[in-house]
Amino acid sequence: YDPGTKPGVLVLPVPGATGDSIRAILHNDFDNGDRINVVAKDGAVTLYGTAETRTRREMAENIASRVDGVKSVDNKLAVVAGS
């Protein structure tokens, strides 16, 4: 856990540029209502946690999939209003 990360966005572990890039983008684009955990390993990214809307869930997946080095995204985010 990086103490400088905005609450609600957690990247475990942070393997080089891929994890750092996802963390930076989610930090800027998502607020505390979205509880997103990201695991990135060898180009495979898994998103866990909750998003407030289906649109935000899809947005997180699209953001992660566009990061250099990402080969696949497994989106396990649950949509929970007010999460």
Side-chain angles (χ1 to χ4, degrees), residues 1-47:
Y1 171 72
D2 178 353
T5 300
K6 180 187 266 186
V9 176
L10 179 63
V11 178
L12 296 173
V14 181
T18 299
D20 290 340
S21 295
I22 294 170
R23 178 178 58 201
I25 294 166
L26 292 178
H27 177 78
N28 289 328
D29 290 350
F30 285 80
D31 58 30
N32 292 339
D34 300 293
R35 304 288 180 202
I36 301 173
N37 299 310
V38 181
V39 176
K41 183 176 181 183
D42 299 327
V45 173
T46 305
L47 305 176

Side-chain angles (χ1 to χ4, degrees), residues 30-66:
F30 285 80
D31 58 30
N32 292 339
D34 300 293
R35 304 288 180 202
I36 301 173
N37 299 310
V38 181
V39 176
K41 183 176 181 183
D42 299 327
V45 173
T46 305
L47 305 176
Y48 297 98
T50 61
E52 289 193 319
T53 65
R54 187 176 340 157
T55 300
R56 308 254 322 146
R57 179 185 188 276
E58 293 168 1
M59 184 177 166
E61 181 175 350
N62 289 335
I63 288 169
S65 69
R66 291 192 314 252

